């Protein structure tokens, strides 16, 4: 299990054959004024992700601590999504830019950005096989489908963890993790109505719900969990 925390963190945690899409090569950040709606350090190619670290306490510590929320870890690739009226961009953890995961995802993001006048989301893109298994690439999901004897294509999924910027609330990096998670859930639910390829993630806050989520992750053979110090602000990297 992993823990994600920043300044003002709570707690003592010293804490047919399937068709496969081919990802376009990473490109450099756009040298245009398209993204002037966002602060300079929050534009595509510049925003540094906050990365979870190996937890220094037991899983039970975070489960029982009311200051931590829990999300299921996805087995995919970290992706920061930038969307404004008429434009989208996708940034990897390394700050390189890449192509949209799918046309449906891109269209949904554009439609919602038209309503909200711009937002930035912290996400994970992954590919589901015919039985819902998670894969980092479409090729891996397609290989699993063939092994299962399933004549179906991999399904692209974009899981939204939190929102980093929204119009009105503006820069959520200065807000708590709880605020980022809840605003991200609201946007993800709106996007999910436009395409099932974008999904909100369940965040558990109570001890009972965290126990259930951890059990579900284990029963389904998934990667684990990420625990968030709910009062923490955004801290780039693994600091």
């Amino acid at each position: 299990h992993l823990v994600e925390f920043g300044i003002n963190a709570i707690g003592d945690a010293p804490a047919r054959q399937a068709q496969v899409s081919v990802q376009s090569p990473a490109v450099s950040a756009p040298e245009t004024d398209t993204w002037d709606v966002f602060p300079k350090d929050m534009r595509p190619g510049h925003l540094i992700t906050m990365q979870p670290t190996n937890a220094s306490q037991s899983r039970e510590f975070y489960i029982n601590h009311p200051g931590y929320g829990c999300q299921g870890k996805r087995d995919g690739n970290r992706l920061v999504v930038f969307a404004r009226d008429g434009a989208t961009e996708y940034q990897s953890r390394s700050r390189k830019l890449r192509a949209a995961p799918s046309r449906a995802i891109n269209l949904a993001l554009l439609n919602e950005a038209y309503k909200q006048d711009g937002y930035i989301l912290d996400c994970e893109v992954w590919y589901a096989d015919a039985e819902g298994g998670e894969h980092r690439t479409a090729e891996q999901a397609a290989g699993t489908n063939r092994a299962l004897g399933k004549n179906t294509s991999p399904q692209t999924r974009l899981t939204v963890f939190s929102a980093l910027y929204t119009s009105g609330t503006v820069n959520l990096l200065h807000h708590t993790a709880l605020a980022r998670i809840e605003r991200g859930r609201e946007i993800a639910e709106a996007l999910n109505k436009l395409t099932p390829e974008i999904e909100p993630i369940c965040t558990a806050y109570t001890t009972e719900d965290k126990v259930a989520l951890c059990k579900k992750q284990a029963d389904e053979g998934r990667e684990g969990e990420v625990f968030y110090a709910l009062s923490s602000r955004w801290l780039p990297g693994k600091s």
Side-chain angles (χ1 to χ4, degrees), residues 148-218:
L148 292 169
K150 304 286 187 179
N151 188 26
T152 56
S153 298
Q155 300 297 307
T156 307
R157 292 289 181 267
L158 185 72
T159 300
V160 178
F161 299 136
S162 65
L164 308 184
Y165 179 100
T166 60
S167 59
T169 311
V170 192
N171 188 347
L172 284 165
L173 302 193
H174 301 313
H175 292 242
T176 64
L178 178 60
R180 295 194 303 272
I181 289 169
E182 288 303 301
R183 187 68 185 111
R185 178 184 56 79
E186 293 170 0
I187 296 174
E189 288 177 351
L191 291 166
N192 182 255
K193 293 177 181 178
L194 300 175
T195 174
E197 291 187 14
I198 302 177
E199 60 173 25
I201 194 168
C202 171
T203 304
Y205 297 110
T206 68
T207 294
E208 182 181 18
D209 287 345
K210 284 186 275 188
V211 167
L213 178 57
C214 291
K215 183 178 185 304
K216 182 175 184 291
Q217 288 289 106

Side-chain angles (χ1 to χ4, degrees), residues 4-9 50 175-177 180 229-234:
E4 191 161 283
F5 58 91
I7 55 175
N8 297 332
M50 180 177 176
H175 292 242
T176 64
R180 295 194 303 272
L230 296 174
S231 68
S232 66
R233 286 163 173 74
W234 189 265

Side-chain angles (χ1 to χ4, degrees), residues 92-107:
S92 69
R93 186 170 60 185
S94 65
R95 289 191 281 175
K96 292 182 178 180
L97 303 184
R98 52 158 289 174
S102 75
R103 183 173 181 272
I105 287 173
N106 200 59
L107 287 175

Side-chain angles (χ1 to χ4, degrees):
H1 63 292
L2 303 170
V3 63
E4 191 161 283
F5 58 91
I7 55 175
N8 297 332
I10 295 177
D12 177 20
R16 310 169 300 250
Q17 181 172 320
Q19 297 299 306
V20 177
S21 61
V22 178
Q23 179 180 320
S24 298
V27 295
S28 58
E31 299 296 332
T32 70
D33 60 0
T34 303
W35 302 104
D36 283 356
V37 292
F38 300 141
K40 286 185 178 180
D41 60 350
M42 294 186 70
R43 295 174 189 172
H46 296 280
L47 193 148
I48 301 174
T49 57
M50 180 177 176
Q51 298 175 36
T53 63
N54 291 332
S56 58
Q57 301 283 356
S58 68
R59 180 180 274 102
E60 287 69 29
F61 172 88
Y62 302 105
I63 287 175
N64 292 315
H65 199 306
Y68 284 89
C70 178
Q71 293 181 344
K73 193 175 186 298
R74 299 274 75 93
D75 187 10
N77 299 283
R78 189 76 168 270
L79 199 64
V80 180
V81 171
F82 302 81
R84 60 160 298 179
D85 185 15
T88 57
E89 196 62 81
Y90 304 85
Q91 178 190 301
S92 69
R93 186 170 60 185
S94 65
R95 289 191 281 175
K96 292 182 178 180
L97 303 184
R98 52 158 289 174
S102 75
R103 183 173 181 272
I105 287 173
N106 200 59
L107 287 175
L109 291 166
L110 285 170
N111 285 335
E112 193 62 25
Y114 174 76
K115 301 175 188 175
Q116 300 204 26
D117 196 30
Y119 52 84
I120 303 173
L121 302 176
D122 189 25
C123 310
E124 188 98 349
V125 62
W126 54 281
Y127 301 88
D129 61 39
E131 295 188 348
E134 300 171 11
H135 302 271
R136 295 179 61 83
T137 69
E139 289 84 353
Q140 290 170 345
T144 297
N145 284 345
R146 289 193 294 271
L148 292 169
K150 304 286 187 179
N151 188 26
T152 56
S153 298
Q155 300 297 307
T156 307
R157 292 289 181 267
L158 185 72
T159 300
V160 178
F161 299 136
S162 65
L164 308 184
Y165 179 100
T166 60
S167 59
T169 311
V170 192
N171 188 347
L172 284 165
L173 302 193
H174 301 313
H175 292 242
T176 64
L178 178 60
R180 295 194 303 272
I181 289 169
E182 288 303 301
R183 187 68 185 111
R185 178 184 56 79
E186 293 170 0
I187 296 174
E189 288 177 351
L191 291 166
N192 182 255
K193 293 177 181 178
L194 300 175
T195 174
E197 291 187 14
I198 302 177
E199 60 173 25
I201 194 168
C202 171
T203 304
Y205 297 110
T206 68
T207 294
E208 182 181 18
D209 287 345
K210 284 186 275 188
V211 167
L213 178 57
C214 291
K215 183 178 185 304
K216 182 175 184 291
Q217 288 289 106
D219 289 348
E220 295 178 356
R222 301 186 187 273
E223 277 204 313
E225 309 82 41
V226 179
F227 292 89
Y228 292 82
L230 296 174
S231 68
S232 66
R233 286 163 173 74
W234 189 265
L235 191 64
K238 290 194 173 186
S239 303

